[in-house]
Amino acid sequence: MMRDPVFLAGSGNTYERDAIERFWRGSGGSRGRKRDPLTNARVANASLFTNWDKRREVQAWLSRNEGKVPEGWASRDDVPPAKETTDDARRRSKNGGGGGGGGARRWATIAVAFVVSSVVIVAFQAGAVERGWEWRRSIGWRAPHSGGGGGGGGDGD
């Protein structure tokens, strides 16, 4: 029974975290040639994410089978805390650590891009509305009158 089930982002297959990390260490995975152990295909994204569904299944089994210790476990409490291991995190730790706030810098860049694109969209929409009225005037378009008498819709002419 898995203690720390993770799925490999590049394939979607689920493995025991310790097992896949040992597989990669032993198969040259540290040189950037990580493969899915099941298919032996290279994976473009070797990020590992907790498989919460499997983790809940393990917890449910432990709850139904009180007093039993799964084979290979030291105790029923032998469940490590969940953690995510992404390719980016591996690269940062391999290259000497933290990266100096790269995550914060990335979010700041995204926020600036969002604000700039919002301003551009609003400006474009305002210009498009004005150009739309100019185009309608150039072809002599007049808004239909709303029924009920007393003045007409028109476009302000």
Side-chain angles (χ1 to χ4, degrees):
M1 178 176 299
M2 292 185 185
R3 293 175 46 243
D4 190 9
V6 295
F7 70 90
L8 177 58
S11 70
N13 292 324
T14 297
Y15 301 99
E16 176 67 43
R17 181 186 305 275
D18 184 55
I20 192 166
E21 288 176 344
R22 272 186 288 126
F23 174 80
W24 284 340
R25 281 192 302 269
S27 67
S30 61
R31 292 189 301 267
R33 297 185 212 128
K34 293 191 171 133
R35 294 183 175 275
D36 184 310
L38 183 63
T39 64
N40 201 33
R42 282 190 180 173
V43 291
N45 185 347
S47 298
L48 299 174
F49 296 97
T50 299
N51 185 328
W52 290 104
D53 190 45
K54 289 291 179 203
R55 209 166 170 117
R56 282 187 288 272
E57 286 179 21
V58 169
Q59 189 57 50
W61 187 91
L62 290 170
S63 296
R64 285 191 313 271
N65 297 282
E66 290 189 31
K68 291 187 180 179
V69 177
E71 187 177 329
W73 290 33
S75 75
R76 291 175 55 85
D77 300 324
D78 195 17
V79 179
K83 65 179 180 179
E84 311 304 345
T85 309
T86 63
D87 278 348
D88 289 343
R90 278 192 205 93
R91 280 188 214 105
R92 279 194 303 274
S93 65
K94 188 174 164 184
N95 294 332
R105 195 173 22 244
R106 187 170 332 153
W107 280 110
T109 302
I110 291 169
V112 168
F114 176 77
V115 169
V116 168
S117 63
S118 298
V119 168
V120 169
I121 289 170
V122 169
F124 175 78
Q125 288 175 338
V129 168
E130 187 56 37
R131 283 190 305 276
W133 282 114
E134 290 170 7
W135 176 79
R136 287 181 184 99
R137 284 188 194 106
S138 71
I139 62 167
W141 181 83
R142 295 184 77 56
H145 295 308
S146 58
D155 60 358
D157 286 342

